[in-house]
Amino acid sequence: MNKHPKRATISDVAEHAGVSRAAVSKVLRGAYGVSDVMKARVEASMDALGYRPSALARGMRGRSFTLGVFVVDLSNTFVTVLIEGIRAEAGSRGYQVFIGEANMGLAQQKQMIEAMIDRKMDGLVLIAPFGPDEELEKIGRITPTVVLGRHGPGQDYDTVASDDLAGSALIVDHLVSLGHRRISHLKHVGKEKNEATMPQVVRADGYIQAMVRHGLDAEVDVIETKWNHQGGADAVDLMLDRDAPPTAVHTGTDMAGFGVLSRFHELSVPVPEAFSVVGYDNALAASLPQISLTTVDQSGFEMGSLASRLLVERIEGRVEPVSTLVKPTLMVRTTTGPVPVGSGVKPELLRNVAQG
């Protein structure tokens, strides 16, 4: 009768690689100070022996090697890019990622996060969570936490965010360079209060600061809507109902930007000949030739990867908070152009187009 072959142990891997058990353990944990050569040597031995670390055994020693990722809205395609970065980095360090969504507000968010903590996940990445900073501090004191998308610094958690002040400035500077003065901005509003550290608040602040810097104080026009397709479409009707309609819009996010473009298409308003549109996120769809949306790239994959790396550092014992801003880049495509002069649909007539 054939017997199952003996399962390789960490001692077997150490002997095969010619290193100590402690060295193998460090590679498995993704600990500091492990050279690429050492990592490659140990991983080659694990492959040769068919070694597979036991998640149960690791969990009994104090870790489950799982990370919880909380998101408010999975329908936002930029969130999926962040998650790809989180997963890639986590996987390279031996961690599995579990995702929870709570788009119904703060109570559901709290329930979801508590469920992740109860299941002994080693740490949490919270993507643009609801609620005041004080609530995030409480979570950070309970379990290692990185907040992705909201601005810091935090005392008991790390933050990774795009430099949204700079991103909005890039948009306004670009539009002003094309001759635009009447530039609107779409600011997200939802069921929960907009906290000062949330991206929708910081992007709106950046827009206002940039408009003021260009001497366009009187042209500041912040429209509150949802950062989704419908919110963008609804905002078009509001913009066109202005006594002096804008000639360009900073939509705050690509999802809203897609809604703006769809509504203009329905109204047969040419973009950018009659109206310029700029998104924010550089979602994959923004680069499609049929859309070609001018937008701000936040390096979403890198942001997610950085969040994972910081979280593992916290799990490894770091307690000093880290607050990181990722530099944004303007991706100029075909939805922005000069203010029309003597051709196209004149901005002043856009309201009549919408009503007709």
Side-chain angles (χ1 to χ4, degrees):
M1 185 169 111
N2 293 331
K3 292 183 178 181
H4 292 294
K6 177 188 173 185
R7 180 170 178 167
T9 66
I10 193 171
S11 297
D12 296 329
V13 173
E15 183 179 353
H16 188 276
V19 299
S20 67
R21 282 171 51 93
V24 176
S25 179
K26 283 185 177 181
V27 171
L28 289 172
R29 297 196 322 269
Y32 295 116
V34 177
S35 69
D36 291 340
V37 172
M38 174 69 77
K39 182 180 178 184
R41 189 172 177 178
V42 170
E43 287 178 347
S45 292
M46 287 193 289
D47 288 341
L49 298 174
Y51 174 77
R52 182 172 179 271
S54 167
L56 177 60
R58 290 188 293 177
M60 290 173 64
R61 292 197 298 270
R63 289 196 207 169
S64 64
F65 282 79
T66 59
L67 306 180
V69 176
F70 165 81
V71 300
V72 171
D73 184 11
L74 275 170
S75 68
N76 185 336
T77 55
F78 180 67
V79 170
T80 63
V81 178
L82 295 173
I83 291 174
E84 286 175 7
I86 292 169
R87 279 180 164 158
E89 181 67 22
S92 72
R93 294 171 177 267
Y95 286 82
Q96 291 181 306
V97 171
F98 292 85
I99 300 167
E101 180 186 26
N103 57 13
M104 300 302 291
L106 193 56
Q108 188 186 29
Q109 170 181 298
K110 183 177 180 181
Q111 184 180 38
M112 179 63 68
I113 291 173
E114 286 177 350
M116 289 181 170
I117 294 172
D118 289 344
R119 283 162 178 76
K120 306 298 182 184
M121 294 186 181
D122 294 328
L124 302 177
V125 177
L126 311 181
I127 300 178
F130 302 119
D133 295 344
E134 292 76 19
E135 288 298 319
L136 302 179
E137 296 288 359
K138 290 179 182 177
I139 296 168
R141 286 192 289 270
I142 295 171
T143 190
T145 301
V146 176
V147 176
L148 180 53
R150 283 180 61 159
H151 292 249
Q155 294 180 2
D156 296 296
Y157 59 89
D158 298 335
T159 61
V160 178
S162 171
D163 189 342
D164 291 318
L165 287 176
S168 283
L170 288 173
I171 292 171
V172 174
D173 291 350
H174 171 62
L175 292 171
V176 169
S177 75
L178 294 170
H180 295 277
R181 294 179 58 84
R182 297 198 300 275
I183 303 167
S184 294
H185 171 66
L186 307 189
K187 180 180 180 181
H188 175 73
V189 291
K191 300 174 184 177
E192 304 295 340
K193 176 185 176 184
N194 276 344
E195 302 292 337
T197 56
M198 288 179 166
Q200 54 264 39
V201 175
V202 182
R203 288 176 199 175
D205 289 345
Y207 156 79
I208 294 170
Q209 291 175 20
M211 291 289 282
V212 170
R213 175 164 50 81
H214 284 286
L216 300 175
D217 315 42
E219 305 295 348
V220 168
D221 180 29
V222 177
I223 298 173
E224 295 188 341
T225 187
K226 300 280 189 184
W227 269 358
N228 56 27
H229 191 281
Q230 188 61 52
D234 292 344
V236 170
D237 295 333
L238 293 173
M239 287 188 289
L240 300 189
D241 196 38
R242 298 284 193 260
D243 290 335
T247 63
V249 62
H250 165 1
T251 66
T253 184
D254 287 349
M255 295 297 288
F258 299 151
V260 168
L261 293 175
S262 294
R263 181 63 176 145
F264 276 139
H265 179 74
E266 292 173 1
L267 297 173
S268 298
V269 173
V271 174
E273 292 81 4
F275 206 105
S276 288
V277 180
V278 185
Y280 204 112
D281 286 340
N282 199 26
L284 179 60
S287 63
L288 295 175
Q290 305 94 315
I291 299 175
S292 191
L293 176 65
T294 295
T295 186
V296 168
D297 183 81
Q298 300 187 72
S299 302
F301 186 92
E302 288 75 12
M303 286 176 68
S305 176
L306 176 58
S308 268
R309 188 158 67 250
L310 291 176
L311 184 55
V312 172
E313 287 179 6
R314 274 204 170 266
I315 293 168
E316 294 280 338
R318 176 175 55 77
V319 294
E320 299 81 10
V322 173
S323 182
T324 304
L325 283 179
V326 177
K327 183 180 179 181
T329 305
L330 184 68
M331 310 296 292
V332 178
R333 298 192 178 108
T334 62
T335 59
T336 50
V339 175
V341 178
S343 62
V345 180
K346 292 182 182 299
E348 289 76 5
L349 300 179
L350 286 175
R351 179 157 54 97
N352 295 330
V353 172
Q355 293 173 344

